Amino acid sequence: MELKHYIIRRFLLLIPTLIGVTLLIFAVIQLFSPVERAALYIRDPRQARDLPGIIKKYHLDEPVYVQYYYWLREVLRGNLGYSKSVNMPVLDAILNFFPATIELVLYSAPLIVLLGIKLGVLAAIHKDRAVDHLTRISSIIGWSLPSFWLGILLLAMFYGQLGIFPPERLGTEASIYVNSPNFIRYTKINTIDALLNGQLWIFIDALKHLVLPVTSLTIQIVALIVRIMRSSMLEALNKGYVLAARAKGLEERDVIYKHARKNALIPVFTVTGILLAGMLTGVIITETVFNYKGIGYWAAHAATQLDIPAVLGFALLAGVIFVLTNLIVDILYAYIDPRVRLG
């Protein structure tokens, strides 16, 4: 019952937090002139011919609190403006590019979390041995590698030399079929849609294109999880409850995996939540190097084109993702450590 009440409290706190996010973004909007702010309400380029009418319609020449009300109303309706960099409404651009990033995270996140925790635990229980030294050296190297360099290296090795694991999201033949009337786009996540359409060859093609970006992300991000998990695990192994469990004669495996690891996961969840939220808002360098057109690729392109509605729409999406991720992490905290519920 305590967990249920804790979750309800966290959901209630979500509302003022999201309002705070919108206020911050709206404060940035106020740095622009009314004519520039009018672009945030345009759904079609032809509407730009009547900017004075848009300013009047959305009260852009009235007090700030009035402007905020009408801006928030439009946001809740899905009107985030028109993205000139891709020639479509911002909401349509988000719905078009975001599934690609979700797909990338869908395959990267489990590898990152499972490998990070597993290797971190192994390093801790074999402290100062060969496994520990090898894991730490690999983590330092992985975390130190520049994203663009690692991506280019992987492309040169596997695609340039071996001709396998190409960039982009799909091959030419698969892309043509996916964009044909014969293929139904349920989610715009290629691997899932391919299975739902019964097209195994497209699923395999999409997986081939995912291998290198997923590998690049995993090599880099898992390194940080390993280091944090190792440090947290070493601290947990020296706690009184672990020593007491050993004194009772419990098997070492039970002591490590049923007692120490569970509590060592708490700080790991914090970092993992932030990292996954960052991945969901777009891994710009990775998506650019592999020409994998996700939300980060679009945001970077929009920024270079001074596409203000697109950049602000992306900022709003990123804010919502981070707030929701923190909520999920808090709930996981409460599930793992009952003391959090009583705080």
Side-chain angles (χ1 to χ4, degrees):
M1 201 65 177
E2 290 176 357
L3 179 60
K4 181 180 178 181
H5 291 158
Y6 177 82
I7 293 173
I8 292 173
R9 291 201 307 270
R10 296 305 302 168
F11 267 104
L12 291 176
L13 286 173
L14 188 67
I15 299 173
T17 305
L18 287 173
I19 292 174
V21 170
T22 63
L23 287 171
L24 284 173
I25 294 174
F26 183 74
V28 174
I29 294 174
Q30 294 306 300
L31 299 175
F32 302 104
S33 67
V35 173
E36 292 171 320
R37 294 202 300 272
L40 298 172
Y41 301 90
I42 293 175
R43 291 177 180 265
D44 190 299
R46 290 172 292 185
Q47 292 178 296
R49 300 171 186 170
D50 186 26
L51 288 180
I54 292 175
I55 292 173
K56 189 71 176 176
K57 179 180 178 180
Y58 294 105
H59 307 268
L60 299 179
D61 53 355
E62 295 191 26
V64 173
Y65 61 88
V66 177
Q67 293 183 46
Y68 175 73
Y69 168 77
Y70 284 98
W71 172 77
L72 186 60
R73 188 185 68 175
E74 290 303 304
V75 167
L76 294 176
R77 289 177 175 178
N79 182 11
L80 302 174
Y82 190 85
S83 174
K84 64 181 182 181
S85 60
V86 289
N87 295 317
M88 65 176 72
V90 171
L91 181 60
D92 290 347
I94 291 173
L95 295 176
N96 187 57
F97 288 100
F98 195 38
T101 299
I102 292 176
E103 185 170 37
L104 190 57
V105 174
L106 187 65
Y107 289 92
S108 302
L111 286 174
I112 291 169
V113 174
L114 294 177
L115 279 175
I117 292 174
K118 181 66 175 179
L119 294 176
V121 171
L122 284 175
I125 62 179
H126 295 94
K127 184 176 180 291
D128 295 331
R129 297 178 191 172
V131 174
D132 183 27
H133 294 312
L134 181 60
T135 303
R136 283 194 290 171
I137 292 171
S138 301
S139 298
I140 293 171
I141 293 174
W143 185 248
S144 302
L145 292 175
S147 299
F148 69 91
W149 183 86
L150 178 59
I152 292 172
L153 178 64
L154 290 173
L155 276 174
M157 289 173 57
F158 292 96
Y159 183 60
Q161 296 294 324
L162 302 176
I164 57 176
F165 306 140
E168 301 186 9
R169 293 189 68 197
L170 289 171
T172 304
E173 186 179 353
S175 182
I176 292 173
Y177 188 85
V178 163
N179 291 305
S180 71
N182 299 322
F183 192 87
I184 302 174
R185 299 307 301 264
Y186 295 100
T187 65
K188 292 189 178 181
I189 297 175
N190 291 331
T191 50
I192 293 177
D193 287 348
L195 293 176
L196 293 175
N197 281 269
Q199 301 296 329
L200 186 60
W201 68 279
I202 293 180
F203 174 79
I204 295 172
D205 184 83
L207 282 182
K208 289 179 180 178
H209 287 76
L210 278 165
V211 169
L212 292 187
V214 166
T215 301
S216 179
L217 285 173
T218 302
I219 288 174
Q220 290 198 300
I221 300 178
V222 78
L224 181 60
I225 303 297
V226 168
R227 295 173 68 182
I228 295 173
M229 186 66 199
R230 176 186 180 274
S231 176
S232 181
M233 190 69 181
L234 286 174
E235 183 180 350
L237 288 171
N238 290 317
K239 293 289 187 180
Y241 63 87
V242 172
L243 299 176
R246 283 174 173 159
K248 290 178 181 178
L250 292 179
E251 292 186 9
E252 186 65 13
R253 182 178 180 81
D254 291 336
V255 172
I256 291 171
Y257 293 102
K258 292 185 179 180
H259 293 77
R261 187 178 64 174
K262 183 177 179 180
N263 289 280
L265 285 173
I266 294 176
V268 175
F269 277 143
T270 305
V271 177
T272 302
I274 295 172
L275 289 173
L276 293 183
M279 290 171 64
L280 282 171
T281 55
V283 276
I284 296 173
I285 295 176
T286 301
E287 290 180 357
T288 302
V289 169
F290 294 101
N291 197 26
Y292 192 92
K293 297 179 180 179
I295 197 78
Y297 177 95
W298 167 65
H301 179 63
T304 59
Q305 299 293 316
L306 295 179
D307 188 351
I308 294 173
V311 172
L312 291 175
F314 171 76
L316 183 61
L317 173 67
V320 171
I321 288 174
F322 272 95
V323 169
L324 292 177
T325 303
N326 283 330
L327 173 66
I328 294 170
V329 170
D330 286 344
I331 292 173
L332 288 174
Y333 269 178
Y335 177 76
I336 293 174
D337 188 353
R339 293 173 299 178
V340 175
R341 312 171 199 170
L342 303 175

